[in-house]
Amino acid sequence: MKEIYLPIKAEVVEVLDMTPDTKLFKVKPERPVHYQPGQFFMLSLWGKGEVPISITSACGFHEYVELCIRRVGYITSAIHEVKPPCDIGLRGPFGNTFLAENAKNKDIIFVAGGLGIAPLRPLITRVMNEKKRSRRIALLYGSRNPGEILFKDDIEAWQEKGLQLFLGVRKGLQFILSAGKKDNCLLSGSGPAAESSRIPKISFKNAYAFVCGPPVMISPTMITLSTMGMDENNIYTSLEAHMKCGVGKCGHCYVDGVHLCTDGPIFSYAEIRKRRLQIV
Amino acid sequence: MKKNLIMDKNYLSYWLRQIRKTMSLIAPMRLKNADIVFKQVDNIHEIELDCPASLPSPKEFLLPQKEYMFRFSKNSVDVLKDCTKRLIFGVRSCDISAIDLMDRFFGEKFVDEYYMSRRENTVFISIVCNNPDPTCFCIGLGTGPFLKSNFDIQLTDLGDRYLVETGSKQGADLIRGYSHLFSRPKKSDYDDQYEVILSSQSKFEKRISLENTRQKILNEKINDLFWDWIARRCFECGGCVYACPVCTCFNVVDRMEQEGDGYRFRIWDACMFKGFTRMAGNVWPAEKKGSRIKQRYFHKLLYYPDHFGRFGCVGCGRCTITCPGHVDMATIAHRIDVGDRRRR
Ligand SMILES: Cc1cc2nc3c(=O)[nH]c(=O)nc-3n(C[C@H](O)[C@H](O)[C@H](O)COP(=O)(O)OP(=O)(O)OC[C@H]3O[C@@H](n4cnc5c(N)ncnc54)[C@H](O)[C@@H]3O)c2cc1C
Ligand code: SF4
Ligand code: SF4
Ligand code: FES
């Protein structure tokens, strides 16, 4: 029988300080792991406990994985104390994935708030690598202050491949909305010149959106995007819940008839509304 | 596999004594002048069968209140798994139905190896309830007082003898080698069985239809004020969850014994507790007591039927006995079904 609670060993090979409370951990699991964008690991420290952490490195089959962790409590503080070389435990990957296949050849808008960029990073990287000239892809990215912009190198690389970057989520959404009121067509260049540079040039009707960030950001973003005419089935987000097992057994993440750890954590806006899932 | 036999009551203790040689025997016993609990049997004659249902359910033996999962030290990790062979004797039908639900829950998708290891080594002898307790309402759910299938061995007390039905391979293994204790049932035995069941069915004091309750909830007849009103009487003690044979939620905790050495274990947890869903940064998704109670009852009354085709309640009535605020499944279901002035 497969041991679902037994973590495999993983060696921490590098730790990078990203902001005062966020570190990037590069770890080498005992055996290479295969994962998809949006999935998470249960990271385990013997003697402390386990926490769910999204995989932030490029997806696929890899020897190394990267985890971006913010210090917020008991276990994450303990993880921040880890100095390489050192072993930690990993279980997973768990959870469903961002279905990027459906969004093939469609415009995409990514909305990330703070650490929300971490689970989106593998997806953005994949999309930008597969991107053809005609496709328009935008990233709205906000953080508490400009010093906390994460993954600057990646963002530059994506911009070189044609990503439209907009810093500041709330401002970005406001621009989208105010521009939307002026003229219903938000396609390239149709707004007043001064504003058009701040509006993602994508066609909202056919676009896909992937939204990740703190709950206070998720609902207004989803509402704005659907107001702009985006199909609710095409707006995805990753929900968060207290998790203990990651495999649908402990019951901690069970809300409204779904286990966020196995049925989620990724849901479309349509599903969230249908099931009346709570965005905490 | 299905086989019916008759056993004289005088043979029971001999049979159990023989079986006990190969596995640990667990049965309902009376603590000194107090509650009935399932525990390991030292003296077979101390087994209590004519008694109210045990307060702690036998789920304890499949999902213990505290189960050690791993022992870790600086450079090694041991998986701790319980493989003790157990016979649990004298279980009621409702509890067997609850175990059937747990089997399906722990056995689907990611299979829980700790539960399975205990489950595969446990066999049950259940007894048809001739005298249901005043709190029992299994009759409305089809989970008791007797079972048609899904049991290992089911006994029906026919006065001076038992009708012994085997329903599984593990059950059949308990009979094998003891054919001298059993005889073929006669027509009169089946007639007596019929009488016993009819008489038992007539003794139920509570008639509760969870299906009506479910329909009322689905038709949005119940609003959040109802749950808030229930919540005012709940002490958040968690007793209803711990006593319930169907509830399975657990927490996982690490404990250090000394530098680098320790255990990881799981313990029962309850969705009735405020901290159950707490997240870092002081986020409390289910801060309101009413929303937690609603979640628990929606799980049992709506989500279980959606997912498993059966209610997440077997009508054992334990929450009725436990709840100090008198807001148990039977009461709540009755309020929802039959009416309450706060209902729209
Ligand atoms: C699918 C998913 C992906 C995540 N990805 C990341 C990531 O990439 N980087 C990152 O920094 N954080 C991520 N988180 C949040 C992270 O899991 C929590 O910050 C972490 O559990 C807090 O643990 P703690 O012991 O430090 O906090 P404490 O407040 O001390 O929490 C104690 C316990 O509560 C539970 N808990 C508390 N907060 C959360 C929470 N927000 N989510 C789940 N369980 C919680 C945990 O079981 C934890 O052990 C993710 C959460 C989820 C659900
Ligand atoms: S909800 Fe109450 S009556 Fe139903 S199975 Fe659980 S403890 Fe028994
Ligand atoms: S037993 Fe009663 S008082 Fe205790 S948590 Fe359950 S409903 Fe609340
Ligand atoms: S984390 Fe345990 S059930 Fe989802």
Side-chain angles (χ1 to χ4, degrees), chain A residues 242-254 259-262:
Chain A
H242 183 127
M243 292 188 181
K244 274 292 172 197
C245 72
V247 290
K249 300 296 182 223
C250 75
H252 282 262
C253 72
Y254 192 72
H259 284 106
L260 290 188
C261 62
T262 49

Side-chain angles (χ1 to χ4, degrees), chain A residues 114-126:
Chain A
L115 208 57
I117 191 78
L120 285 177
R121 184 176 166 229
L123 181 67
I124 305 180
T125 307
R126 176 191 273 184

Side-chain angles (χ1 to χ4, degrees), chain A residues 61-158:
Chain A
F61 192 68
H62 288 290
E63 228 178 307
Y64 294 93
V65 293
E66 286 170 358
L67 306 169
C68 178
I69 301 170
R70 173 169 289 164
R71 190 180 65 232
V72 290
Y74 181 65
I75 298 167
T76 46
S77 301
I79 297 168
H80 271 236
E81 301 293 306
V82 165
K83 305 248 166 351
C86 176
D87 283 341
I88 56 165
L90 288 182
R91 289 193 295 125
F94 295 129
N96 62 358
T97 70
F98 287 116
L99 277 179
E101 278 68 36
N102 299 345
K104 251 202 175 105
N105 302 323
K106 298 273 172 54
D107 288 358
I108 298 181
I109 178 165
F110 294 102
V111 184
L115 208 57
I117 191 78
L120 285 177
R121 184 176 166 229
L123 181 67
I124 305 180
T125 307
R126 176 191 273 184
V127 167
M128 293 317 292
N129 286 344
E130 291 169 354
K131 180 179 167 341
K132 294 203 201 71
R133 287 240 142 257
S134 59
R135 243 175 118 193
R136 287 166 301 192
I137 298 182
L139 167 65
L140 247 65
Y141 180 22
S143 54
R144 282 176 297 186
N145 65 58
E148 300 198 355
I149 296 288
L150 305 170
F151 302 116
K152 290 198 181 91
D153 297 349
D154 296 77
I155 295 177
E156 269 170 33
W158 299 332

Side-chain angles (χ1 to χ4, degrees), chain A residues 9-20:
Chain A
K9 231 193 246 174
E11 192 193 336
V12 179
V13 289
E14 205 182 333
V15 182
L16 286 176
D17 285 314
M18 304 187 81
T19 72

Side-chain angles (χ1 to χ4, degrees), chain A residues 72, chain B residues 278-283:
Chain A
V72 290
Chain B
R278 184 198 65 86
M279 292 195 286
N282 253 336
V283 180

